[in-house]
Amino acid sequence: MTTPVCTNASRAALPAAPSYGADTRFSPHARYSSFSSYVRARGPVLLRTARSLTANPCDAEDLLQTALTKTYVAWERIEDHRALDGYVRRALLNTRTSQWRKRKVDEFACDELPEPENFPAPDPAERQVLHDAMWRAVMKLPDRQRAMVVLRYYEDLSEAQTAEVLGVSIGTVKSAVSRALGKLREDPELAPVR
């Protein structure tokens, strides 16, 4: 059994196409051809802009497609077609901002809370052995270098503060600490740490 369809009623429900008179600028064919020529000419530049807004090249293409769709819909309302790049860039930015705001954070209900893996705590005895070995290596340094290393890394002073305390320049602190760290790296007692 077929259902009769009233085509006249469905046509009557559709809004009438706007009448623009003799102005062919707003005809669907003219609008499409001017838009497509714009996209062909400016597409690569606009795609670079879209790529600067997203990390994924495929997302950039989707973003540009959405912005160009919005531009096509508003094509007749854009008064100055010399400013189309600005319009499309604004559409790109607004679309990307909307996507960012709408991003979905997935939450899953579960019976038990996920707990982080329990890593064994470092053995206090091993930490003390390492601390003692480090201190012995620091004690082998010349007095000036030892003082700078202690102030920089044990007392947590900045280079400027260390220089002020010792009455030397910041450059002297930098070079002396660099040499001291080099000696500590070469210390055979600290080999297991590396």
Side-chain angles (χ1 to χ4, degrees):
M1 177 175 172
T2 59
T3 306
V5 176
C6 179
T7 56
N8 290 338
S10 63
R11 283 190 191 132
L14 294 174
S19 172
Y20 296 109
D23 191 359
T24 59
R25 182 176 70 140
F26 295 111
S27 72
H29 179 70
R31 177 172 67 165
Y32 175 76
S33 63
S34 65
F35 177 77
S36 61
S37 64
Y38 168 74
V39 171
R40 275 194 302 275
R42 301 299 296 163
V45 173
L46 297 171
L47 183 58
R48 279 195 302 271
T49 303
R51 284 187 178 157
S52 70
L53 294 173
T54 62
N56 186 344
C58 295
D59 290 342
E61 291 174 1
D62 291 343
L63 177 64
L64 179 60
Q65 185 69 33
T66 304
L68 287 175
T69 301
K70 291 177 180 180
T71 304
Y72 182 73
V73 169
W75 193 256
E76 295 169 353
R77 293 190 316 259
I78 300 172
E79 294 176 9
D80 186 8
H81 279 220
R82 292 173 297 183
L84 283 171
D85 282 358
Y87 185 90
V88 175
R89 284 189 180 105
R90 175 51 61 185
L92 283 168
L93 188 59
N94 290 345
T95 303
R96 182 64 183 140
T97 303
S98 296
Q99 290 172 349
W100 177 78
R101 286 181 181 153
K102 290 178 185 176
R103 74 178 188 260
K104 183 179 176 185
V105 177
D106 293 327
E107 293 182 13
F108 301 101
C110 58
D111 294 333
E112 296 179 26
L113 291 175
E115 298 294 331
E117 292 183 28
N118 290 330
F119 294 105
D123 184 13
E126 288 180 14
R127 289 189 65 182
Q128 187 61 45
V129 167
L130 178 60
H131 181 270
D132 293 343
M134 188 64 167
W135 190 248
R136 282 191 300 274
V138 168
M139 293 305 289
K140 293 177 193 174
L141 295 172
D143 292 340
R144 190 172 184 177
Q145 288 180 0
R146 181 175 55 239
M148 291 183 188
V149 167
V150 168
L151 290 173
R152 282 284 292 127
Y153 298 104
Y154 283 90
E155 297 296 326
D156 201 26
L157 297 181
S158 68
E159 291 169 342
Q161 291 169 329
T162 303
E164 185 180 331
V165 167
L166 296 175
V168 295
S169 69
I170 295 174
T172 302
V173 172
K174 287 181 181 182
S175 62
V177 168
S178 177
R179 284 192 302 272
L181 292 177
K183 289 179 184 177
L184 291 174
R185 283 187 200 101
E186 294 171 1
D187 193 300
E189 199 172 355
L190 298 177
V193 177
R194 291 180 237 139

